[in-house]
Amino acid sequence: PYFRALAETPGKFREMVEAAAAKRFPGARLLRLSAAPADAQGEPWVESEFTAPALSVSGPRTVLPAAYEAFQLSRQYAGKDERRHPLELHFTRSQTSRLTYRLGADFKPGDLPKSAQLEEPFARYVRKVETRAGEIAVSEEYALLQDRIEVKDYPKFRDFCNRVDALQEEKVVLEKK
C-alpha cells in the first residue's frame, strides 16, 4: 500500500527517490525513473538511473559505497540480544538491486568487495561483483523467506542480519590511472 500510494503521486515519488540517492551519493541527479503501475498485481518494482558527477573527486583513490541502499537489517529486525517470544515480521519480502559505476577515463578498479552468498532457512543474501571494460557492477539479492522467526532461531537470524550489514558496509575503491 505504501509503495502504491507513492507511485500514484509521480512527482512526490520521483522527489523521494532522487533525495534518497543524493543522500547516499552526494550530488546524484536522477536521469530515468520507472516503476510498476500503482494498480498492477504482483510485487512492486522500481528502476532508476542516476548520474553522480561529484563522485569524480581528485586524489589517487576514491572510496564509494558498494550497496545502492543499506538494508540495515540489524536495526530493523535484530536489535535485541535475545528474545522470549517469536519475532513477528508479518510478511516476507525480497529486494534486488544493481549498482553500476561507469568509470571515467582517469580511473581503474582498486580494492573491490568480494562476491558473497549467505543462505539460511529464513533468509538469503547474494552479492555479485563484476568488472568489465570501464564498469564495476555490484548486484544484490535479499529475500526474507519467513514471516516469523522462532525464539530458538533468533540468534542465527541476528547473526545473519549482522553479516549482511557488514557486507553492505564494504566499499568500492577506484584508483587514478
Side-chain angles (χ1 to χ4, degrees):
Y2 174 73
F3 172 80
R4 303 234 188 263
L6 280 174
E8 288 175 347
T9 54
K12 185 70 174 168
F13 183 57
R14 181 181 183 85
E15 200 175 280
M16 184 194 79
V17 170
E18 190 163 37
K23 187 175 180 182
R24 188 116 170 112
F25 303 96
R29 286 184 299 113
L30 186 60
L31 298 176
R32 184 178 53 81
L33 176 65
S34 56
D39 59 351
Q41 296 296 312
E43 293 184 11
W45 57 268
V46 176
E47 188 175 284
S48 56
E49 183 177 352
F50 296 88
T51 183
L55 296 180
S56 299
V57 296
S58 60
R61 293 166 53 93
T62 300
V63 179
L64 304 167
Y68 171 71
E69 175 186 8
F71 299 143
Q72 300 178 340
L73 299 181
S74 299
R75 196 180 94 209
Q76 282 190 69
Y77 302 123
K80 297 182 178 183
D81 290 337
E82 58 184 48
R83 294 192 65 87
R84 293 189 312 202
H85 304 287
L87 175 60
E88 297 290 347
L89 302 171
H90 304 291
F91 55 87
T92 60
R93 91 177 249 206
S94 65
Q95 183 169 339
T96 302
S97 67
R98 180 178 176 90
L99 176 61
T100 303
Y101 288 107
R102 292 187 183 102
L103 309 183
D106 295 345
F107 289 100
K108 66 180 182 177
D111 296 327
L112 301 177
K114 304 281 187 252
S115 293
Q117 184 167 339
L118 305 176
E119 293 263 355
E120 297 294 346
F122 43 76
R124 176 179 66 247
Y125 173 80
V126 178
R127 176 176 67 196
K128 293 179 184 172
V129 180
E130 303 168 295
T131 58
R132 51 185 167 268
E135 288 187 352
I136 300 168
V138 182
S139 300
E140 292 183 297
E141 296 176 28
Y142 161 66
L144 184 57
L145 305 170
Q146 296 178 2
D147 59 359
R148 178 183 171 113
I149 306 299
E150 298 298 333
V151 172
K152 68 180 176 52
D153 297 326
Y154 182 75
K156 201 170 192 174
F157 177 72
R158 185 170 189 261
D159 180 60
F160 174 87
C161 292
N162 288 332
R163 290 187 301 161
V164 169
D165 288 350
L167 286 167
Q168 287 203 302
E169 286 299 315
E170 294 177 1
K171 305 294 183 194
V172 167
V173 177
L174 306 180
E175 295 177 351
K176 284 274 197 180
K177 287 184 177 178

